[in-house]
Amino acid sequence: MNTQILNEKLELIQWLSTLEDASIIKKLMQFKKEETKDWWDSISEEEKKSIEKGISEADNNELKPHSEARKLYEKWL
């Protein structure tokens, strides 16, 4: 692991161990909860259906060439 990141993590641990402000602790807990959410739970039903359709098509060898996908999505690329 990167030494700088390790040092920053240790600094945060030390700071957290001395922290007594309940509001900051509560905010940190909320941040932790939000960061560990499954991204699947935060996308729309339409997005989920689209992903599931793609997986199904891939499982059934119904894949499209990259060039076709690129044409379809080029406005977002």
Side-chain angles (χ1 to χ4, degrees):
M1 178 177 283
N2 181 328
T3 305
Q4 181 181 353
I5 291 175
L6 194 58
N7 287 338
E8 288 173 350
K9 287 169 69 173
L10 288 171
E11 184 180 338
L12 284 169
I13 291 168
Q14 289 173 339
W15 171 72
L16 189 57
S17 70
T18 63
L19 192 60
E20 294 184 18
D21 187 329
S23 67
I24 293 176
I25 293 171
K26 190 173 185 174
K27 288 177 187 176
L28 289 168
M29 293 303 293
Q30 184 63 34
F31 177 76
K32 178 182 174 261
K33 182 180 178 183
E34 289 173 8
E35 287 298 306
T36 57
K37 279 185 186 175
D38 188 338
W39 61 270
W40 185 259
D41 297 329
S42 65
I43 63 175
S44 71
E45 286 303 314
E46 184 179 335
E47 290 169 316
K48 289 177 184 177
K49 286 178 184 175
S50 179
I51 292 168
E52 289 168 346
K53 180 182 179 213
I55 292 170
S56 176
E57 289 173 352
D59 289 344
N60 295 321
N61 288 326
E62 300 169 354
L63 303 174
K64 305 280 188 209
H66 180 259
S67 58
E68 283 185 41
R70 193 148 176 90
K71 284 179 190 173
L72 182 62
Y73 294 104
E74 69 185 332
K75 64 182 171 186
W76 293 290
L77 299 175

